[in-house]
């Protein structure tokens, strides 16, 4: 157990160095969601009726999820480089705890996504986002975003392990980035036609978006928060199982 | 190693490989491209599971005592496995930390010195030449001084000077008591370095002995005007049967 902690710390230090030496990955991660935010608030926003005072307050929670979905693709990319560049095999031939290799990538993903989320939040504040949420609500928001990040990161691990090309490694994130568009993230689901509405209301993004939005707006999140947590836990469990299978497949 | 077998699907790559390597000696495994050298080295370094037979490294079974095997050996793979983003020194410190050694910085510095990389120590490994990267790669394998070292086509792609340097390193290792198993498709490399040479062909060891023993395998009766020692190349071609047909392909 102490070896696992020590090895994970050493390898996380290595990936964080990678991150520090290419800070553009954090900027790139934040640019797309910020562009969406500007586009929706200043171009489409006027025509969208959400029932809230300010559209940026409605929109932000979905934008945060898009930030995470695009951020985790770098984890797949970095893991793919390790696997294809031989570092992965070098580490596997050494007497280290094997789980530490993947955990280091997961922790690094968490750090880089939190930084990207902070950048997006700063822009949102500049655009007029305000929240009167108390510390408990903010902690709950951070907790859910962390859980969502870790769950999607394990999906990224699967993609990074199985990919044959660099592009293939990051392609898994495209549907994840797209998913918020068919949810309550940008417009209320009530105006959507039947089947689309059914999908939107029953997919994970809507529950998570509604929870985060409710917490920030100091509204009750009673039912949504449990659905959101259940989705995150289910995605996490499924992704970890898939990652273990991918690891075994990759290592014969 | 006894009766080792390995298939990938229908491809029966190793069909019963037997050999022993004396402690402290240099053993060269010679084979053309696709003969199964890398497969064999990966099995010995616990990266790949074999189908049948047994293999021991430093007295430990690769299948049931993988942890002990990883403590006993170090692998320098066919492609240099260094972290391109980290500096040379950081690469060495990383491995020293993962091997849980005291004073990783001092270990790194002494290896940098020994491999003439001190001047390049604080440059990213991506800026290194092929020879420097290979030296760093080997240096990383020598941290913790394993009793057994595997070198898989270590000199492939190096210029002649870098190649001589690697040869010198390998001789030093053996002089220091390390057991070296190297694979190569260069006949002169085996001829120059190895105490014993085995030829891997068609999934089996076709010949195994010292250079002079292998020479003795050739039919002696040859009428020639100039007496000529058969080169290892001729022995190789005669044994693998490739010499008989005139469409012999040069190993690439
Ligand atoms: N993971 C794999 N899956 C399928 N075939 C493989 C795999 N690895 C190697 N092979 C095949 O096994 C044979 C031996 O490969 P290898 O051990 O790399 O040879 P060498 O190192 O001597 O050039 C080749 O025909 C190669 O195509
Ligand atoms: Mg090979």
């Amino acid at each position: 157990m102490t070896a696992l902690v020590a090895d994970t710390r050493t390898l996380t230090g290595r990936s964080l160095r990678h991150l520090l030496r290419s800070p553009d990955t954090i900027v790139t991660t934040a640019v797309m969601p910020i562009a969406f935010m500007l586009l929706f608030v200043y171009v489409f926003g006027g025509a969208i009726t959400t029932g809230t005072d300010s559209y940026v307050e409605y929109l932000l929670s979905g934008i945060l999820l898009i930030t995470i979905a695009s951020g985790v693709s770098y984890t797949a990319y970095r893991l793919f480089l390790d696997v294809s560049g031989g570092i992965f095999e070098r580490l596997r031939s050494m007497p280290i705890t094997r789980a530490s290799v993947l955990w280091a990538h997961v922790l690094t993903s968490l750090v880089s996504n939190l930084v990207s989320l902070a950048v997006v939040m700063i822009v949102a504040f500049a655009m007029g986002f305000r929240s009167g949420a108390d510390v408990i609500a903010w902690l709950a928001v951070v907790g859910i975003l962390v859980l969502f990040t870790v769950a999607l990161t394990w999906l990224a691990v699967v993609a990074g392990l199985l990919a044959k090309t660099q592009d293939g490694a990051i392609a898994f994130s495209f549907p994840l980035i797209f998913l918020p568009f068919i949810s309550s993230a940008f417009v209320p689901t009530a105006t959507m036609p039947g089947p689309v509405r059914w999908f939107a209301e029953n997919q994970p993004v809507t529950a998570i978006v509604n929870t985060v939005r409710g917490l920030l707006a100091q509204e009750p999140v009673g039912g949504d928060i449990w659905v959101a947590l259940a989705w995150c836990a289910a995605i996490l469990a499924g992704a970890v199982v898939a990652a273990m299978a991918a690891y075994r497949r990759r290592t014969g | 190693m006894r009766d080792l077998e390995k298939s990938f699907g229908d491809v029966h790559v190793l069909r019963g490989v037997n050999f022993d390597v004396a402690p402290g000696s240099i053993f060269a495994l010679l084979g053309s491209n696709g003969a199964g050298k890398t497969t064999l080295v990966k099995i010995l370094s616990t990266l790949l599971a074999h189908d049948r037979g047994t293999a021991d490294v430093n007295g430990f079974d690769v299948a049931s005592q993988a942890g002990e095997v990883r403590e006993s050996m170090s692998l320098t793979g066919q492609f240099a496995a260094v972290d391109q983003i980290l500096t040379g020194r950081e690469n060495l410190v990383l491995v020293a930390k993962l091997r849980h050694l005291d004073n990783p910085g001092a270990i790194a510095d002494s290896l940098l010195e020994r491999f003439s990389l001190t001047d390049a120590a604080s440059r990213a490994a991506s800026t290194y030449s092929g020879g420097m990267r290979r030296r760093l790669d080997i240096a990383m394998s020598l941290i913790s001084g394993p009793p057994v070292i595997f070198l898989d086509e270590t000199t492939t792609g190096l210029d002649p000077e870098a190649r001589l340097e690697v040869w010198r390193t390998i001789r030093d290792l053996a002089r220091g008591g390390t057991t070296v198993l190297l694979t190569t498709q260069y006949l002169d490399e085996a001829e120059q370095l190895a105490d014993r040479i085995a030829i891997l062909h068609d999934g089996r060891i076709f010949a195994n002995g010292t250079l002079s023993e292998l020479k003795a395998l050739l039919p002696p009766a040859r009428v020639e005007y100039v007496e000529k020692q058969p080169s290892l190349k001729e022995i190789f071609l005669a044994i693998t049967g490739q010499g008989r047909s005139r469409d012999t392909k040069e190993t690439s």
Side-chain angles (χ1 to χ4, degrees), chain B residues 17-39:
Chain B
V17 174
N18 293 284
F19 65 81
D20 294 291
V21 181
S25 70
I26 302 180
F27 188 90
L29 192 65
L30 190 60
S32 43
N33 222 345
K37 304 182 295 297
T38 298
T39 303

Side-chain angles (χ1 to χ4, degrees), chain A residues 169-189:
Chain A
I170 57 171
F172 85 100
S173 69
F174 300 153
L176 299 181
I177 293 169
F178 191 65
L179 221 43
F181 288 96
I182 316 171
S183 80
S184 65
F186 294 97
V187 295
T189 54

Side-chain angles (χ1 to χ4, degrees), chain A residues 2-4 6-8 10-11 13-15 17-19 21-22 78 81-82 84-98 100 250-252, chain B residues 42 45-49 67 69-71 73-76 79-87 90-91 93-95 97-100 136-141:
Chain A
T2 52
L4 175 64
D7 293 345
T8 303
T10 304
L11 289 169
R14 161 185 177 253
S15 319
R17 278 218 168 89
H18 287 193
L19 203 61
R21 284 175 201 174
S22 50
R78 279 190 283 265
L81 289 188
D82 276 4
S84 59
I87 294 280
F88 191 68
E89 288 205 328
R90 158 157 257 143
L91 294 175
R92 284 208 310 120
S93 75
M94 285 169 50
I96 65 171
T97 44
R98 295 191 157 192
S100 63
R250 194 73 202 201
T251 58
Chain B
K42 282 189 178 176
S45 48
T46 74
L47 294 178
L48 203 60
V69 170
R70 284 180 211 131
E71 296 277 0
M73 61 85 202
S74 195
L75 164 70
T76 303
F79 305 99
V82 306
D83 186 316
Q84 307 267 7
I85 296 166
L86 299 186
T87 66
E90 286 169 342
N91 266 290
V93 169
L94 174 72
V95 174
K97 279 189 182 166
L98 289 173
R99 295 213 175 246
H100 308 133
L136 176 62
D137 192 35
I138 297 175
M140 285 164 78
S141 300

Side-chain angles (χ1 to χ4, degrees), chain B residues 33-34 36-39 78 152-153 183 185:
Chain B
N33 222 345
K37 304 182 295 297
T38 298
T39 303
Q78 184 160 1
D152 190 13
E153 293 198 34
T183 77
Q185 37 176 316

Side-chain angles (χ1 to χ4, degrees), chain B residues 115-130:
Chain B
F115 285 88
S116 326
L117 289 168
T118 306
D119 291 341
S122 52
R123 263 169 41 204
S126 57
T127 66
Y128 285 18
S129 69

Side-chain angles (χ1 to χ4, degrees), chain A residues 129-153:
Chain A
F129 172 80
R130 295 291 179 272
S131 166
D134 58 13
V135 176
I136 306 282
W138 273 107
L139 284 179
V141 168
V142 172
I144 287 176
L145 293 179
V146 164
L147 190 58
F148 188 66
T149 305
V150 172
L152 290 200
T153 299

